[in-house]
Amino acid sequence: MYACAGVSLSTEQSWIVGYVPLPQNESVDAMTVYGCLEEPSVSNTAWSCNPHIEKTVCSGQSSIIYSWRRSCDMIGERKQKVLIVGGAYIRDIVLMVHYKDGDIQDSSALELKLLSGEYTETDAHYLSRYYSQFVDPLCDEKLNDLGRLLETIQWQDESYDATYDYDESSQQLNLQDNRIGTSFDETYSSSWGYDPELVQDLTWPAPNVNLGQVTGVDAKPDTGDVFVFHRGERTWQLSDFDENNIFINGKERGPIEADVLLLLSKRGGYIKEKAGADRFYMPHGLTCDYNGDLWLTDVALHQVFKVSGKTFKIEMTLGEAFVPGEDHHHFCKPTDVAVDKATGNVFVADGYCNKRVLKFSSNGTFLQEIKAHNKGLAKSNFKIPHSLAIVESRRMICVADRENGRIQCFNTITGDFIHEIEKREFGGQVFAIAYDRVLDVMYAVNGLSERIPTQGYTLDIQTGEILETWAPPQGFQMPHDIAVGPDGNYVYVADVINEGVFRFLREDNNM
């Protein structure tokens, strides 16, 4: 038997930072809190409900944001995840209580601990800084009661006299009847076992580093210095390629004259070395492998290059210059490369016009073709496999399937599908991914969206849960690539439109 109570939150933004289940009846077996993702028909009342019957908890889509069971959890304060509510986020919350038997004389409740105040949108991306406030008795907490369940209730297909004893203490939330439903659950922070504090490092790079469209970034595995791949004075225009994906007048236009490959110091972000002048036509992907060598892709040349990280000389070339193709010796606008340290095998995301990932041996011999895991006609193929990340501890190669807005992971040996991360919070696009072996998390950046901020995500590699979102105070324009420093303290994002590289760091890092 189930009973539900619903409240509509304030139009002002708040943060749920704790849950206190208060079961007052031995018959109470479980409590579940739902965030209604579409405007529900709930108010400060209670009703009979059933999670197995459509639209009896929320009138539309919903998301579970907290759950408690008597059989497996101690009663007391719970610190699970910080969640933005109110304002433009979840505005309606439903508490569902499950009873083991038919005894419904009950006044059980669930308290929400909220933080509220004058915070900026930027603050919302760094909610973990409020964790310390949560445990500080001097902080401005508001203890809010989601609502007491009924003494009696009108059950479905049963007749009872229904009254509702509402606890006025929940008015601290400034509850209102006029509600605005939202279409997604926007979790901006982490479970309590994870310590994010990822903020922009405003001291990096040096002010005299002038870049064009920055498309690739990665860190050296030994020193943590940062390689940057950019397009100098050239920009990618829609008119640059013909209907057959051939770069128009490529030989006549010539390569980019500027040094498109830079090495920036970990400390200060100063230019230590530069190379690549008169060599590349439309730079795209950059990967620094475990030996410190570079793997670069050029979408105009339809080629992949292995470049020495010391001399910057080309050591291997895959593909034929200016010739797109679908066989295993050609690419069509290849986007990114990942190198497996365990085997030396090389994975190439191919690309803007092909829908595949190709695997080669360390000497360039073709080994395997990986295609998208088929989820039906709508997303049966990759739609621009744009970025790759190796998770060596799990033998996974993960693919940012850009226009499908998802991440798909495959076994590096067999190519078999393992799992997928697809979130509405991505806004329909995932531009780039990078794996942090220190924290065992995946970082991702999305693209432009009308409804979702352009931002970075910290993801649980196993569950796909969004642990944290982050962005610079001024926002991203078009984040294109992402990388992690070898110690896990720094995250780098290349932005094409901003023509620069952002560095983010852990707030307790002394740099």
Side-chain angles (χ1 to χ4, degrees), residues 66-104:
Y66 173 82
S67 62
W68 168 86
R69 283 188 176 274
R70 187 184 295 275
S71 61
C72 60
D73 202 353
M74 296 178 61
I75 296 173
E77 191 174 277
R78 299 292 295 158
K79 303 176 186 177
Q80 290 200 341
K81 65 171 69 173
V82 171
L83 183 74
I84 297 179
V85 293
Y89 304 97
I90 291 176
R91 294 276 294 278
D92 296 274
I93 291 182
V94 173
L95 169 65
M96 182 182 72
V97 177
H98 178 253
Y99 298 90
K100 292 185 292 184
D101 53 45
D103 183 1
I104 59 169

Side-chain angles (χ1 to χ4, degrees), residues 215-404:
T215 60
V217 62
D218 208 352
K220 293 188 68 174
D222 51 355
T223 65
D225 292 335
V226 180
F227 286 108
V228 175
F229 203 27
H230 72 109
R231 295 174 180 156
E233 70 280 2
R234 185 163 293 173
T235 60
W236 187 349
Q237 305 294 327
L238 292 176
S239 58
D240 284 337
F241 294 85
D242 66 16
E243 65 276 10
N244 296 313
N245 295 300
I246 295 174
F247 189 59
I248 297 175
N249 298 324
K251 294 180 180 180
E252 290 78 6
R253 294 170 66 178
I256 298 169
E257 296 179 357
D259 286 308
V260 296
L261 185 59
L262 304 180
L263 179 62
L264 306 183
S265 61
K266 176 182 175 181
R267 291 185 177 272
Y270 297 98
I271 298 176
K272 296 181 68 173
E273 297 184 67
K274 53 186 178 180
D278 297 316
R279 188 185 302 178
F280 299 96
Y281 288 74
M282 194 66 72
H284 197 276
L286 177 150
T287 298
C288 185
D289 68 19
Y290 54 90
N291 286 322
D293 292 324
L294 302 176
W295 295 82
L296 308 173
T297 71
D298 189 313
V299 294
L301 289 169
H302 305 286
Q303 287 181 305
V304 176
F305 303 93
K306 179 182 179 182
V307 176
S308 169
K310 297 179 180 178
T311 65
F312 299 107
K313 292 182 179 180
I314 295 177
E315 297 183 344
M316 183 190 303
T317 301
L318 300 176
E320 184 179 355
F322 297 112
V323 180
E326 299 178 350
D327 59 37
H328 297 153
H329 303 287
H330 291 85
F331 306 103
C332 192
K333 298 178 184 173
T335 52
D336 198 21
V337 176
V339 182
D340 187 354
K341 182 178 181 180
T343 62
N345 291 337
V346 179
F347 295 83
V348 178
D350 182 36
Y352 279 94
C353 28
N354 289 331
K355 303 175 178 64
R356 62 187 184 176
V357 174
L358 299 182
K359 182 170 75 172
F360 300 86
S361 68
S362 59
N363 64 8
T365 301
F366 170 77
L367 298 176
Q368 190 178 31
E369 179 174 304
I370 300 174
K371 293 193 174 182
H373 176 63
N374 194 329
K375 289 184 62 180
L377 295 177
K379 294 186 177 182
S380 59
N381 296 309
F382 288 130
K383 197 172 182 181
I384 307 182
H386 197 258
S387 177
L388 300 175
I390 294 276
V391 183
E392 292 170 350
S393 60
R394 293 176 173 82
R395 291 187 176 180
M396 287 197 310
I397 174 72
C398 295
V399 184
D401 189 5
R402 195 182 91 177
E403 297 303 309
N404 280 327

Side-chain angles (χ1 to χ4, degrees), residues 98-223:
H98 178 253
Y99 298 90
K100 292 185 292 184
D101 53 45
D103 183 1
I104 59 169
Q105 300 299 317
D106 188 26
S107 59
S108 294
L110 184 138
E111 292 179 343
L112 301 179
K113 284 188 175 289
L114 287 96
L115 292 176
S116 60
E118 297 299 325
Y119 304 126
T120 66
E121 184 67 22
T122 300
D123 292 325
H125 293 104
Y126 312 120
L127 282 179
S128 57
R129 69 182 60 180
Y130 301 120
Y131 291 176
S132 59
Q133 293 184 4
F134 176 70
V135 298
D136 184 351
L138 299 179
C139 74
D140 182 20
E141 292 181 5
K142 292 183 179 180
L143 186 63
N144 299 279
D145 192 336
L146 186 58
R148 301 283 174 178
L149 295 180
L150 326 194
E151 296 292 333
T152 57
I153 192 169
Q154 185 71 39
W155 299 100
Q156 292 179 347
D157 301 324
E158 300 179 27
S159 179
Y160 294 91
D161 292 330
T163 59
Y164 180 64
D165 180 19
Y166 180 69
D167 189 335
E168 290 296 324
S169 66
S170 61
Q171 290 299 322
Q172 296 178 59
L173 267 175
N174 298 320
L175 301 175
Q176 297 181 359
D177 290 332
N178 53 328
R179 298 179 298 278
I180 300 176
T182 60
S183 60
F184 59 92
D185 170 6
E186 189 133 24
T187 302
Y188 274 96
S189 191
S190 73
S191 55
W192 288 90
Y194 176 79
D195 183 20
E197 302 292 348
L198 197 63
V199 296
Q200 185 186 0
D201 179 1
L202 297 176
T203 69
W204 196 98
N208 62 342
V209 177
N210 297 315
L211 302 168
Q213 290 186 338
V214 184
T215 60
V217 62
D218 208 352
K220 293 188 68 174
D222 51 355
T223 65

Side-chain angles (χ1 to χ4, degrees), residues 20-26 28 31 68 70 75 106-109:
V20 183
L22 298 172
Q24 303 297 314
N25 190 305
E26 290 296 327
V28 175
M31 292 183 174
W68 168 86
R70 187 184 295 275
I75 296 173
D106 188 26
S107 59
S108 294

